[in-house]
Amino acid sequence: MREILYIDDTPGNRISYYLLLVFLVMLPFDRVYSELALIGLFLHTLVEVWPGVGGGSRRGGGTEGSGDSRSGGIGEGSGSEGMGEGSGSEGMGEGSGSEGMGEGSGSEGMGEGSGSEGFPPGRVFSFRWVGWLVCCLFFIVVVGALYAPSWKDAERHMEKQLALVLFPWIAWHSRLDWNKVKWPLLKAFALSCFFTVVYLYVCAIVAAPSLGALFTPVYLNHSFTAPIDAHATYFAMDVAIALVVVVCVGIEARLLWIKVLYGLMAALFLLALVQLASRAVCLAVLAIVNVLPWLLLRGRLRIVAAGGYILVSLLLVLLVIHNQTLYTRYLVSLKQDMTGVTGRDEDPEPRMVRWGCAWELIRNSPWAGYGTGAEVPKLKERYYAHQLTISYTHELNAHNQVLSYLLNVGLPGGLLYLVVLAAGGVVAWRRRDVLSGSFLVIVVAVSFSENLLDTNKGIFFFSLFFCLLFYPVMGPVVEGEGGGVPVVRPVVAV
């Protein structure tokens, strides 16, 4: 707990850390708390980079002239510390006299070659390009606003997506080494999700007439998250990331009771995911948990863990099959969603029907779309034409992020979103990073069934974790099994 509540760093970096901590801890709750934390973090970073106030902007991921910094040796100037190999070195570089994380003699900061500044080539791609690609998602929405039919709708859309610019900007200019504080932040986030799940189960158990009633429609999906007024799918995304975090940290823990504790937390998260009944997130998690042991473990322990996760997955599948409510929610509704047949009792207007309406509109304007914020008004026209009363009354969107971009800003927007996800996938594969890979699997799954970047919860989740998980790797790494590729490991202090 001490590593979460205290970091050994400069006062300015501590402020940045605690604001990030508040943002992550409050992420499962009402968006106003996270918004206040984000505003505070932006203003604090702005003060830090303001000329004559905070000493100027950071370049190359480090602090210029900061002799006091303890952020892992990413700064230029005297007093910076790092990790390295070679004579007289303090850093993670190769070659004599290196400071920071560079390769080549005499390098300072995080550069490759003599006297260079900035990130090595791998890090340039992994953050400068991938991080700022997220900003492009916002800028293309701004372009779409120029020909939007309603400036009011476009303005509201841009305001919600402002975090897509703020987080990359903050991560780039902040003097806090996000890689150093990544695991304490993620542990705090996992604890926040854990206590939130416990609270939701207490509310459900107190209200339910029996424990068996927990797996009835009254206590599933949005009804389960009603006490915190959260969307079930977006909270399920939080729980899924928390699950991966506790599994990674639990595997790396040294003490048996710590492993057991994290194992119990993981079991509760799995049960909560079934309770939240988000089909997209559950399918993503089933794929993730059965791949994790093969990436994190070796030898006999890998076989035992893989067998354990397969067994747990089979038990959850049996639970779904033998419970009529869960069976209807996970299997029957999924089948109906994919068939496109209207008028059924369980799902009278499935997603496939709305996707068909969206495709009708996309075919008429494939290159430029209809302008930012025009998605719902245009879809309502098609809903009316096809007599989709529920979708028209509730003003439902396309429930698919790629289709949403195609409707709003055309083919360039849809392709850009896919490029961002593909670039993140390349970086996650190169690092063999389980956490960022799991994040992308969850995002891809949810993007198939929801407009992820249409709500504050989804935008905050996507923008923060994209910047946090794809931040330049400067922490402890171990050699992977395939070609010596480094695998990012959590740092566990027990």
Side-chain angles (χ1 to χ4, degrees), residues 350-366:
R351 280 179 171 83
M352 188 64 74
V353 175
R354 296 198 294 275
W355 293 346
C357 293
W359 273 116
E360 291 177 11
L361 294 168
I362 292 168
R363 283 197 296 267
N364 293 331
S365 181

Side-chain angles (χ1 to χ4, degrees), residues 207-257:
S210 64
L211 290 179
L214 289 177
F215 294 107
T216 60
V218 182
Y219 302 101
L220 287 178
N221 203 238
H222 299 302
S223 300
F224 182 64
T225 56
I228 60 173
D229 193 24
H231 191 287
T233 296
Y234 296 112
F235 182 61
M237 293 168 64
D238 296 337
V239 173
I241 290 293
L243 171 64
V244 179
V245 170
V246 298
V247 169
C248 291
V249 177
I251 288 174
E252 292 292 319
R254 302 185 188 93
L255 300 179
L256 179 61
W257 72 271

Side-chain angles (χ1 to χ4, degrees), residues 48-64:
E48 280 195 318
V49 303
W50 198 266
V53 179
S57 174
R58 182 184 75 175
R59 296 184 59 193
T63 307
E64 296 184 7

Side-chain angles (χ1 to χ4, degrees), residues 56-129:
S57 174
R58 182 184 75 175
R59 296 184 59 193
T63 307
E64 296 184 7
S66 174
D68 223 9
S69 174
R70 296 181 178 87
S71 59
I74 59 173
E76 298 178 323
S78 61
S80 62
E81 297 178 1
M83 299 176 292
E85 297 177 355
S87 60
S89 64
E90 290 185 31
M92 202 171 149
E94 296 178 4
S96 61
S98 63
E99 292 184 6
M101 292 181 59
E103 293 182 7
S105 61
S107 63
E108 291 185 1
M110 288 169 39
E112 183 176 11
S114 176
S116 63
E117 295 182 3
F119 299 109
R123 302 188 211 286
V124 170
F125 178 74
S126 67
F127 188 69
R128 277 190 176 174
W129 288 105

